[in-house]
Amino acid sequence: MRSPVSGQPRSVGEEQSLTALIVTSGEPAVPFKGSDGKYLISYELRLFNATPLTLAPARLTVSTVGGQSIAKLDRAEVRAALALPGARSGVAELGEAQQATLYVTLRFDDRATIPQRLVHRIAVTAPQLPGGRAVSPPATVKVLTSFKIPRLGPPLQPGRRYVAADSCCSSERHRRALLPIGNRQWLAQRFAVDWEQIDATGRFVKRGGDPRRPGDYAVYGKRVIAAADATVVHVIDGLPAQVPGALPEGLRPSQTDGNSVVARLDDGLYMLYGHLQAGSLKVKAGDHVRRGDLLGLVGNSGNSSAPHLHFHVMDGPSPLTSEGVPYIIDTFATRGRLRSTAVFDEFENTTTPFDILPFAGDAKNSDELPLDLTIVDFG
């Protein structure tokens, strides 16, 4: 009788080899359409060095079950996508018994070409390995091609030049924010967006304003609205506004989203609205809201260094111990994008205008997720 913990049984005398790198999949991958017009799937792989050696991941190959090549990442690309708790990118080596997370994003021109399963093999190098190289056994990720993506409206009042900061999929702050809670890791912010806004002059902080005063930011005080019909399940209010320019210290985990609202969609998923102004919230647990209803006003409470609305969709009511789910916004217009995260970080808490890269297209978006640093109009 096969042991229930032995895994796939092997035949007596079958040739076997030691596995240097063990690769396992995390949550299933869910396809969605991004504001660049491509269909994306963004997911994680767990890499475990099962040897006393120092292994250097050198190559990732992704294919279909039938062997058709989907994508290849070279050493530099794998290094940029590999993360540890203390380094969200740039991990070049794994030491003895060390585990890391590899963040993978694939793009497809057509949804119909997305396979239902993806097979991964990772090559690693080390001088002590036979031939200096080893390849992991195949690791398969299930793609939920039939999953119904939540189709939402904007989470903010109609307006121009909203910035999808730290959105999917290159952003490290949200996309790689694994939280170890309750004897496992969670990634509720997998597809989160920090919605900020620039004024007509390209500034986050109004011309002549004070970057340390929340009210001088273009997005401060904008109306936060229900992105869909939903039921409010949790509300936090009464937390003070933070001074912009740096993240606060000493917050409890329950305070990180600041004054916030969690609302349950009809399909059982949940929306989180974070960092609202104290005293501005217009709902309480148990309230039923319709799309467009006022929830509160954009503020700078909780773990925040500049006024913004943190918004994401998750599979449970807890903003910490849930898994992030992609969603799409039914209608918006793309105006352009900011040049880079480095530029964003440099000028976010200043009155310096941003250099905006123009958008090449008709600027009309339907049923897409605004990707990182995209500038959009709502309404």
Side-chain angles (χ1 to χ4, degrees):
M1 180 177 178
R2 175 184 165 190
S3 166
V5 297
S6 64
Q8 184 65 33
R10 299 286 185 176
S11 301
V12 175
E14 178 182 354
E15 187 66 31
Q16 299 180 37
S17 60
L18 295 176
T19 299
L21 185 73
I22 296 175
V23 181
T24 56
S25 61
E27 293 293 310
V30 178
F32 64 95
K33 192 177 184 182
S35 55
D36 61 356
K38 303 290 186 180
Y39 290 88
L40 294 87
I41 48 178
S42 195
Y43 55 96
E44 305 86 48
L45 297 172
R46 307 281 190 255
L47 278 57
F48 176 70
N49 178 1
T51 77
L53 310 177
T54 297
L55 302 179
R59 188 177 182 86
L60 165 68
T61 60
V62 186
S63 63
T64 65
V65 173
Q68 178 185 354
S69 178
I70 298 293
K72 295 179 180 179
L73 274 66
D74 62 21
R75 187 184 297 269
E77 291 169 323
V78 171
R79 178 174 180 171
L82 195 59
L84 293 168
R88 292 192 177 179
S89 69
V91 178
E93 297 178 334
L94 295 180
E96 177 180 359
Q98 191 172 34
Q99 177 175 289
T101 303
L102 184 66
Y103 294 89
V104 182
T105 299
L106 304 178
R107 285 176 163 82
F108 299 83
D109 293 329
D110 188 341
R111 186 182 180 91
T113 63
I114 302 175
Q116 293 186 342
R117 294 184 180 277
L118 297 167
V119 180
H120 305 76
R121 292 176 174 85
I122 299 178
V124 293
T125 59
Q128 302 91 335
L129 291 172
R133 183 182 178 90
V135 178
S136 69
T140 302
V141 170
K142 183 178 181 181
V143 181
L144 302 181
T145 54
S146 61
F147 183 85
K148 187 177 181 181
I149 298 290
R151 185 173 186 261
L152 308 177
L156 286 160
Q157 69 178 62
R160 305 183 69 182
R161 298 175 298 276
Y162 288 115
V163 180
D166 293 315
S167 183
C168 192
C169 294
S170 58
S171 166
E172 297 177 8
R173 294 189 182 99
H174 290 150
R175 183 65 189 86
R176 306 186 183 189
L178 275 174
L179 295 177
I181 301 176
N183 205 37
R184 63 160 286 183
Q185 290 180 309
W186 305 89
L187 192 43
Q189 301 183 78
R190 185 179 280 110
F191 300 101
V193 178
D194 282 346
W195 285 107
E196 302 197 28
Q197 188 179 34
I198 54 179
D199 64 16
T201 66
R203 294 170 165 86
F204 280 122
V205 182
K206 302 171 186 177
R207 186 196 301 268
D210 181 354
R212 293 179 59 80
R213 191 163 57 210
D216 286 348
Y217 286 74
V219 76
Y220 187 82
K222 294 298 169 67
R223 290 184 293 118
V224 176
I225 59 177
D229 297 355
T231 301
V232 177
V233 298
H234 187 65
V235 172
I236 295 177
D237 198 356
L239 296 176
Q242 306 294 346
V243 177
L247 293 174
E249 298 180 354
L251 293 179
R252 298 191 301 273
S254 61
Q255 297 175 317
T256 55
D257 294 311
N259 304 310
S260 52
V261 175
V262 176
R264 185 180 67 249
L265 296 165
D266 290 341
D267 58 10
L269 298 175
Y270 296 78
M271 302 181 292
L272 169 70
Y273 301 79
H275 310 303
L276 280 61
Q277 288 185 36
S280 75
L281 279 72
K282 304 301 182 183
V283 294
K284 63 183 183 302
D287 286 351
H288 298 280
V289 295
R290 302 297 298 270
R291 172 173 166 161
D293 284 353
L294 177 64
L295 303 181
L297 303 178
V298 174
N300 194 46
S301 57
N303 192 45
S304 176
S305 60
H308 69 280
L309 169 67
H310 176 101
F311 180 84
H312 72 244
V313 177
M314 51 196 176
D315 66 359
S318 169
L320 301 177
T321 56
S322 297
E323 292 297 333
V325 176
Y327 64 94
I328 51 178
I329 295 179
D330 55 8
T331 304
F332 60 95
T334 300
R335 299 180 60 88
R337 68 183 303 273
L338 300 184
R339 186 172 298 277
S340 67
T341 298
V343 172
F344 173 89
D345 290 344
E346 182 178 357
F347 295 116
E348 178 189 26
N349 298 111
T350 74
T351 57
T352 303
F354 275 82
D355 179 23
I356 299 174
L357 300 177
F359 177 72
D362 63 7
K364 297 178 181 179
N365 301 77
S366 298
D367 297 337
E368 298 173 353
L369 176 67
L371 300 180
D372 191 28
L373 301 179
T374 303
I375 304 170
V376 307
D377 293 346
F378 289 143

